[in-house]
């Protein structure tokens, strides 16, 4: 079985979110990344990701078979990652309006 990883873009966003003391990161198609900082939702000053880019992030994280289960066999998938010496990241992928979305809880 191939080891799943965070895409480099999502990993960098998670590191940026940590530097800003965010507890959560949200990726929605055609929107800038959003972070929860001190309980408030704030848009990040970052590039907007297309639906296709987020779908690719989901596939990198959960594999093709995992991605295909979202919205059919399961409502969402979760996977945990460690950013060594920085944080524990729990990534969730779901579908909304036919598009994939991702969120990450940072601790």
């Amino acid at each position: 079985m191939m080891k799943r990883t965070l895409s480099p873009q999502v990993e960098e966003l998670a590191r940026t979110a940590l530097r800003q003391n965010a507890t959560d990161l949200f990726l929605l198609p055609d929107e800038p990344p959003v972070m929860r900082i001190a309980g408030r939702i704030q848009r990040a000053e970052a590039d907007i990701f297309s639906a296709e880019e987020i779908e690719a992030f989901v596939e990198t994280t959960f594999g093709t078979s995992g991605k295909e289960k979202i919205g059919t066999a399961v409502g969402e998938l979760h996977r945990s990652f460690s950013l060594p010496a920085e944080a524990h990241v729990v990534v969730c992928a779901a579908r909304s309006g036919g598009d994939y979305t991702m969120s990450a809880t940072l601790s």
Side-chain angles (χ1 to χ4, degrees):
M1 177 182 215
M2 189 170 117
K3 182 179 177 187
R4 301 291 168 212
T5 62
L6 284 173
S7 72
Q9 296 95 327
V10 174
E11 184 173 330
E12 183 55 36
L13 280 170
R15 291 181 194 284
T16 298
L18 286 164
R19 285 191 296 273
Q20 295 182 25
N21 295 316
T23 56
D24 299 282
L25 171 66
F26 305 95
L27 301 179
L28 304 169
D30 304 318
E31 296 286 338
V34 174
M35 299 177 196
R36 184 186 322 268
I37 302 171
R40 303 189 89 161
I41 300 297
Q42 299 179 24
R43 290 179 188 259
E45 292 184 22
D47 291 336
I48 292 172
F49 293 113
S50 68
E52 293 79 15
E53 288 172 307
I54 294 175
E55 183 174 348
F57 299 160
V58 170
E59 189 160 343
T60 298
T61 306
F62 297 97
T64 302
S65 63
K67 181 190 81 164
E68 291 172 353
K69 291 178 186 174
I70 300 170
T72 56
V74 297
E76 59 190 38
L77 290 176
H78 299 265
R79 178 147 294 148
S80 295
F81 295 92
S82 179
L83 298 178
E86 291 184 69
H88 180 75
V89 180
V90 178
V91 177
C92 174
R95 290 189 82 168
S96 177
D99 291 326
Y100 291 92
T101 63
M102 289 184 81
S103 63
T105 301
L106 312 164
S107 58

